[in-house]
């Protein structure tokens, strides 16, 4: 049985649970249980605070964990990164009151900086040869300058709206973060085999994200021109139709590119264009 540690709540929790579900992992939903086994896969989910996950994986309490890269960098535990997951993206940034004229990190010398990530901040300040007073607080870091607790903050930024609300501006982006999967370095061969199957399933789900399966009827004489403008993953599938001079073309393309090329396809005679979602894709 493979044990995976997952954040108890929040956006990362929701996106992780969605990925597990789409990967065919069925779990009993319960707000009271901290450890839930899967009904159809040799895995059990342990729900923890996000900042406890790196330690739990390092100690072998959990075999693997899904956590924000920021927490992994902050805790500096002896675990290995198995996979970057591409969701729950954010950044760790320094922010100061918007009315201040900021020109470089030299401004931070002698200042008080409030943060929940002292290790990452300390490493950054050392790299810039800056000496500042790091004030460690948890929660509502962004209000620290407004109440006179700090001159600047170092915190997670997603949209930036919280900074605007608190009359702050972002002046230094220290690191980019996303959800990552970490694993205990001494995982057994049996558990590694389960992990490999889980990674295979997750990969199939993620490859399919943002992709559409497109079918269309096209004039055979225009096939070369149509193929030239299709940003497909590989060579499209082409089958002759009963109607002479026409072919059926099947291709997988990124959804965000579809509307950019639909006009060109129609201009080359494509018709009966059918766009379908893709749930899984095995390469």
């Amino acid at each position: 049985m493979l044990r995976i540690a997952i954040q108890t709540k929040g956006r990362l929790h929701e996106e992780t649970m969605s990925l597990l579900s789409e990967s065919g992992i069925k779990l009993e939903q319960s707000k009271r249980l901290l450890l839930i086994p899967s009904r159809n896969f040799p895995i059990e989910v342990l729900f923890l605070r996000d900042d406890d996950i790196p330690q739990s994986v390092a100690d072998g309490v959990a075999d693997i964990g899904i956590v924000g890269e920021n927490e992994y960098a902050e805790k500096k535990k002896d675990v290995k990164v198995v996979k970057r997951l591409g969701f729950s993206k954010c950044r760790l940034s320094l922010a100061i009151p918007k009315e201040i004229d900021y020109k470089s990190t030299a401004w931070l010398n002698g200042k008080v900086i409030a943060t929940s990530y002292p290790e990452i901040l300390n490493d950054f300040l050392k790299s810039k040869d800056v000496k500042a007073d790091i004030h460690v607080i948890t929660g509502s870091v962004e209000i620290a300058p407004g109440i006179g607790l700090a001159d600047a903050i170092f915190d997670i930024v997603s949209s930036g709206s919280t900074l605007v609300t608190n009359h702050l501006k972002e002046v230094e982006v220290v690191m980019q973060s996303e959800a990552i999967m970490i694993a205990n370095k001494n995982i057994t061969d049996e558990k590694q085999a389960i992990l490999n199957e889980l990674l295979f399933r997750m990969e199939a789900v993620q490859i399919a994200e943002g992709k559409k399966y497109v079918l269309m009827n096209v004039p055979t004489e225009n096939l070369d021109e149509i193929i030239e403008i299709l940003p497909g993953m590989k060579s499209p599938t082409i089958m002759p139709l009963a109607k002479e001079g026409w072919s059926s073309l099947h291709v997988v393309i990124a959804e965000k590119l579809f509307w950019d090329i639909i006009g060109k396809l129609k201009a080359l005679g494509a018709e009966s264009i059918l766009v379908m979602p893709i749930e899984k894709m095995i390469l």
Side-chain angles (χ1 to χ4, degrees), residues 11 13 23 27 39 42 55 61 70 72 80 105 124 131 142 153 172 187 189 206-207 211 220 232 237 253 261 276:
R11 183 164 63 102
H13 165 86
S23 300
L27 299 168
R39 303 196 307 269
Q55 181 72 62
V61 175
N70 53 301
Y72 163 75
K80 58 183 178 181
T105 53
F124 173 75
K131 293 183 179 179
E142 65 278 355
I153 69 166
E172 298 284 347
I187 192 169
D189 291 342
Q206 292 186 311
I207 289 174
K211 304 290 193 309
T220 303
T237 299
I253 65 172
I261 64 172
M276 298 187 295

Side-chain angles (χ1 to χ4, degrees), residues 203-251:
E203 188 78 14
V205 172
Q206 292 186 311
I207 289 174
E209 288 179 357
K211 304 290 193 309
K212 297 294 181 183
Y213 190 71
V214 182
L215 300 82
M216 67 190 81
N217 294 338
V218 300
T220 303
E221 62 182 7
N222 292 339
L223 269 175
D224 289 342
E225 292 178 83
I226 290 173
I227 292 172
E228 186 68 27
I229 65 171
L230 284 173
M233 297 189 68
K234 287 188 177 180
S235 178
T237 299
I238 300 170
M239 295 178 288
L241 294 176
K243 184 178 180 181
E244 188 176 349
W246 283 82
S247 298
S248 175
L249 186 148
H250 301 207
V251 68

Side-chain angles (χ1 to χ4, degrees), residues 5 61 93 95 127 143 171 175 251:
V61 175
S93 298
S127 72
I143 70 171
V171 293
M175 73 170 287
V251 68

Side-chain angles (χ1 to χ4, degrees), residues 36-79:
I36 300 177
S38 168
R39 303 196 307 269
N40 66 335
F41 193 78
I43 193 172
E44 56 185 2
V45 176
L46 175 64
F47 295 103
L48 297 172
R49 284 167 46 95
D50 57 347
D51 53 356
D52 289 334
I53 293 176
Q55 181 72 62
S56 298
V57 174
D59 291 345
V61 175
D63 302 302
I64 61 173
I66 293 179
V67 67
E69 189 174 2
N70 53 301
E71 290 294 343
Y72 163 75
E74 175 65 23
K75 299 306 180 184
K76 297 182 177 180
K77 298 302 178 183
D78 189 23
V79 297

